[in-house]
Amino acid sequence: MLNPVKVGLLGLGTVGGGTINVLQRNAQEISRRAGRGIVVTHASARDLTKPRLCHTDGITLTTEPFDVINDPNVDIIAELIGGTTLAKELVLKAINNGKHVVTANKALIALHGNEIFAAAQQKGVMVAFEAAVAGGIPIIKAIREGLTGNQIAWLAGIINGTSNFILSEMRDKGRDFADVLNEAQRLGYAEADPTFDVEGIDAGHKLTILASIAFGIPLQFDKVYTEGITQITREDVGYAEELGYRIKLLGIAKRTEKGIELRVHPTFIPVQHLIANVNGVMNAIVVRGDAVGQTLYYGAGAGADPTASAVVADLVDVVRMLTTDPENHVPHLAFQANALSNVAILPISDIESIYYLRMTALDRLGVLAQVTRILSDCGISIEAIMQKAPPDDVDQVPIVLLTHAVLEKQVNQAIAQIEALEGIHGHVKKIRVEMLEQ
Amino acid sequence: MLNPVKVGLLGLGTVGGGTINVLQRNAQEISRRAGRGIVVTHASARDLTKPRLCHTDGITLTTEPFDVINDPNVDIIAELIGGTTLAKELVLKAINNGKHVVTANKALIALHGNEIFAAAQQKGVMVAFEAAVAGGIPIIKAIREGLTGNQIAWLAGIINGTSNFILSEMRDKGRDFADVLNEAQRLGYAEADPTFDVEGIDAGHKLTILASIAFGIPLQFDKVYTEGITQITREDVGYAEELGYRIKLLGIAKRTEKGIELRVHPTFIPVQHLIANVNGVMNAIVVRGDAVGQTLYYGAGAGADPTASAVVADLVDVVRMLTTDPENHVPHLAFQANALSNVAILPISDIESIYYLRMTALDRLGVLAQVTRILSDCGISIEAIMQKAPPDDVDQVPIVLLTHAVLEKQVNQAIAQIEALEGIHGHVKKIRVEMLEQ
């Protein structure tokens, strides 16, 4: 295999630390996908004495970010310092040095993307920015590559987790805006200065980017209307509910006959729509294309690991483009053909699951006791059980229960014994249960 | 601009017709994205006299698909005939002829993908198959490129629209399986022979593909456990509801310490989970990665236009790879830098929206009449209105209303007049309403 690609990281904060952690933890998986290792060799941070969330052994550390972008051994720069002044200077200089750039910086792209992309195109380097919008959700890729057959009619997104957390809490607990904001700050979901989040500016940056890739228009943040959630009261949240709506801070980009609408504001949306049920700090974007109809993309919009997920995906994109043959730069099965693994596929009897069991008991004393005894003997705990009283003229009673997680073969064994009971009529119905956690 | 890329289409049924329609309707948009036109020049169909859903003017038609794949002028073959015998032969021959291939054929990829991909790699051609899983949802791209930083822990998807329609109807209307199946067949959601859909085989094909790209394992449909929905009764649906669950036919791929689980079966899932609320013929897939956490992808899993959306996206992927410079094969803003448009961004006063208005009236006779009069004079119809009786000791009454869709400037004008009324206390709160339809 080729030598690893060398990444220089600007910024060792939340996202920088997360990126190093993900690259280290999933190194093997990532190189099986990229066809080549990806290693952070250089990193800059303002204060090198600060405790870090990641291991920096083997990484050349400096307080001088220009040293990183000027190092001839670095192939790709990951800009993770945020802000639009120093970050802009660094990114443009890195491009000028012939480095590919990956950035998580939405403000930088929304405000200076046109200039940055022009410079990159001139120098023949890549600039990737999936992490700039909606954290780990691959929404840039979905619109830019997945929906290329469509004329996009509109998109609408919950693209600021802090605001969504506040609105969710106001609704769930009938609390006031200021009260929830305080808690969000305490939990680290909101900055000490929450203006960018609660006034819709952060969402406006992201909307600027989404609208450009949806409609093919230049980035123009200055044309985005932004209105935050600070004026939303408990009363509004309550009336919305009574009328069948939820209030969400949406970024909306819409193509109309008169022109394009770009706006961020609190919005009533029907409770039946999937996106109305996106709660807490989660993000989601609905995109309506003329061919595909509505599609929705949901996930974590911020945080160290989710944002790192997008940064690393961009790094892999760059590496795949640099490294592999053009006809197969993305392997058919995501992993390089020579890196597929032969891990065993389990037979269904060896899976572990929670089970719903339904059976019909003849209404005789003791049948339920026999059933629970069999389950217990087979090592199966019961999570919930329902036995309904039968109508007067019927002597068959349905028994319904949920087990704890067990092996399928244990359940099958128990079912065979239960079906053999005299007091049980017919077969035991078995349906697997998935909690979809973790 | 370069000459258009020439596509040969195998099959002029639902997906083939949809693909021609989308390519024609969005020709300009697509070439702005791809940097080059994409034109169907050749197409084959079993019966050329059949009425078509698309215009075939300018397309060389034949009943002999081998003529299409052997034509030296065709650059890319789109295989849209389905099945695994003739389709396999055609695809392998097209690859051997040095053509790139796009296919919507899940059974073909699930059963013969390993062989097809090996042939493609050897010949240095691309094989793309986004349309094979979940129709227009770009789920292959999301997992294969968007989540490359992650170790995927599991994925679970509603990936058969027919089954989901049947289960949704059974739940909503308390109907029986057989009854709903009949209706689905009448509506065209279910085939005359529904076995593949209701027995989980179609979902098994798709799960095979998703599992391979998630875990980096060879395609192995024969190891997938499949169990359909034919044994699910109204009783099970009802008990699920009582216990806080919904029944969905899920395709589940899970990495465990003992091996990988690949299974399709009816599954209880908690009603609170977003995917439990995916109804009708819609598809959705939840993917859990170690870095990103849970992400969800939702959209139409079948149908002419949604499937065509994915076929065309694959065509654009191939064209971008063939055509543009490697460093910018996907344009930063999705459209070629020289193809951005300067369409106007509307000021917020020019947008059209539904509005929620909340105001406080002094409890005097006639205030409500004055408010509705002003709205009417400004050309604003009222969709809903609530005026609550105040507590006995309070003389201020909240008035809450929803308008029909109007221009924001009209609403602002009305608000200014309402706020000037003697009977109105303080400001009128205005929140925009989006129905998120169409």
Side-chain angles (χ1 to χ4, degrees), chain A residues 409-437:
Chain A
K409 62 179 103 179
Q410 284 174 275
V411 166
N412 289 343
Q413 198 185 1
I415 288 174
Q417 292 178 36
I418 291 169
E419 287 178 346
L421 290 174
E422 253 183 66
I424 292 292
H425 175 76
H427 287 293
V428 175
K429 169 74 72 72
K430 168 185 83 183
I431 303 178
R432 297 169 195 88
V433 180
E434 287 287 329
M435 302 310 291
L436 302 175
E437 289 165 339

Side-chain angles (χ1 to χ4, degrees), chain A residues 154 231 236 242 429 438, chain B residues 124 154 231 236 388 429 438:
Chain A
W154 54 262
Q231 302 305 311
D236 297 318
E242 278 187 60
K429 169 74 72 72
Q438 286 313 309
Chain B
W154 54 262
Q231 301 306 311
D236 297 318
K388 303 249 159 164
K429 168 74 70 74
Q438 288 312 310

Side-chain angles (χ1 to χ4, degrees), chain A residues 8-12 43-46 62-71 74 76-103 105 108 112 115-116 119-120 125-127:
Chain A
L9 218 64
L10 309 180
L12 278 176
S44 72
R46 257 184 307 199
T62 171
T63 56
E64 183 43 80
F66 285 93
D67 287 352
V68 178
I69 61 171
N70 289 328
D71 193 298
V74 168
I76 310 175
I77 294 294
E79 183 279 299
L80 307 172
I81 60 172
T84 55
T85 310
L86 178 59
K88 182 186 173 193
E89 199 185 337
L90 287 165
V91 164
L92 286 173
K93 187 79 170 63
I95 290 169
N96 200 50
N97 288 349
K99 314 278 190 211
H100 305 288
V101 173
V102 170
T103 176
N105 191 331
L108 178 68
H112 306 293
E115 181 182 350
I116 289 167
V125 297
M126 290 174 254
V127 175

Side-chain angles (χ1 to χ4, degrees), chain B residues 358-380:
Chain B
R358 177 166 68 83
M359 61 204 77
T360 304
L362 305 177
D363 188 21
R364 268 188 229 157
L365 226 56
V367 176
L368 188 61
Q370 288 175 312
V371 168
T372 55
R373 157 73 65 87
I374 289 171
L375 290 168
S376 165
D377 286 352
C378 292
I380 301 168

